[in-house]
Amino acid sequence: MSGYSVTADKGSDAGWKGGKQLGVDLSLTSLRKTWEDTPENRAQALELWTRSATVPPRKETPLDLKRWNTTQQHLAAQAIALGKVGPADGQWMSASREAAAVWAQLALQSEGPEAAAYSAAAREMARASQDRRYQARAATSGMRDAARHLSLLAMAGSPSSARGTLAVVEQMMRITEAVRAAQEARGERVRAQRVATVQSQRLAQVQAQLRGKAETLGVAGGAPMTTWAGRANGTGTWTIGDDDG
């Protein structure tokens, strides 16, 4: 890829524009700095570009459960890693950008108030990533892998999983709270308050609804969500069993 251009569907801004015309940080050169450039990633990108990549068939239910578990584990590791990052570190820019991508992917796989809540979180994380004081850097592999797993679940037509979504949302809320705390520590109180509002007025409600549905499925006879050490203090992950969505 040597360059790219975008256009609006309608309106006064219609017409093709190069990335650099939209913003210095959106030029291809700037974007390349944020990519994890490895032979494996190049091969995967080529498969997607040529549409030769294959998606596992929907009938492989165990794979779906494994993918939900893997997704939340990637996010849990990222949440722990962010706890060791200073508030002025440029890593927050990358973490916020990748968090926006994960929230956006969740929104694409949802509908109604749930999708609206995820979209609101994605917008705030995207805003948090637009800080020119910090140098853009490669995305963290954990969150990138999480977004990829969610995308594959959607492409495979995997039905909504209350337990899987709850586990992923809880880890994403930890990451979002870490971003908010870093903003607060840097004195960015307006930004931090916007994130806090989304957390308390949108995400907390969705989380409660998902937890209620997951618990109902467990009572109805489905395999319950179990936990491993660390869950009590907010550092563990769920182990997700079968449910009917």
Side-chain angles (χ1 to χ4, degrees):
M1 182 167 138
S2 58
Y4 76 98
S5 58
V6 297
T7 184
D9 290 337
K10 58 179 115 176
S12 59
D13 290 333
W16 292 95
K17 295 182 179 180
K20 194 171 183 178
Q21 291 177 276
L22 302 175
V24 176
D25 58 331
L26 295 178
S27 69
L28 183 59
T29 301
S30 296
L31 290 175
R32 283 186 188 280
K33 296 177 181 178
T34 70
W35 298 347
E36 188 178 9
D37 190 8
T38 65
E40 292 78 10
N41 287 343
R42 288 188 182 189
Q44 290 178 4
L46 180 61
E47 287 180 357
L48 292 173
W49 185 259
T50 59
R51 299 189 177 183
S52 61
T54 58
V55 178
R58 171 65 195 99
K59 64 181 180 180
E60 297 184 30
T61 303
L63 179 60
D64 288 351
L65 297 174
K66 179 181 178 181
R67 204 176 288 285
W68 280 112
N69 274 305
T70 300
T71 301
Q72 60 141 349
Q73 287 162 9
H74 280 308
L75 296 174
Q78 180 63 25
I80 292 172
L82 287 175
K84 304 174 184 178
V85 178
D89 193 297
Q91 188 173 335
W92 290 106
M93 181 177 175
S94 300
S96 300
R97 181 181 61 248
E98 296 307 311
V102 176
W103 280 124
Q105 185 61 53
L106 283 169
L108 288 172
Q109 295 172 220
S110 309
E111 58 185 16
E114 188 175 338
Y118 301 151
S119 294
R123 284 193 297 273
E124 292 307 323
M125 290 298 96
R127 288 192 180 104
S129 72
Q130 297 169 9
D131 195 326
R132 298 181 184 278
R133 293 176 298 174
Y134 303 115
Q135 178 72 34
R137 60 174 70 181
T140 55
S141 59
M143 286 225 270
R144 174 173 287 181
D145 287 343
R148 180 171 60 85
H149 282 296
L150 287 172
S151 180
L152 287 171
L153 282 166
M155 291 168 65
S158 179
S160 175
S161 166
R163 294 189 182 113
T165 305
L166 172 61
V168 169
V169 166
E170 287 196 338
Q171 301 302 339
M172 281 304 298
M173 289 183 72
R174 290 174 59 198
I175 291 171
T176 300
E177 169 57 21
V179 173
R180 187 211 63 77
Q183 291 175 325
E184 187 76 31
R186 293 194 299 265
E188 300 168 3
R189 291 181 174 79
V190 174
R191 288 187 177 188
Q193 183 55 52
R194 283 202 302 257
V195 175
T197 298
V198 171
Q199 288 174 306
S200 62
Q201 297 183 8
R202 298 287 194 91
L203 296 176
Q205 183 177 5
V206 168
Q207 183 184 28
Q209 292 171 344
L210 287 171
R211 183 176 290 117
K213 186 175 181 180
E215 289 174 353
T216 299
L217 287 168
V219 171
M225 296 179 76
T226 57
T227 62
W228 51 273
R231 173 71 192 160
N233 61 14
T235 62
T237 59
W238 291 113
T239 297
I240 307 164
D242 289 299
D243 68 46
D244 296 327

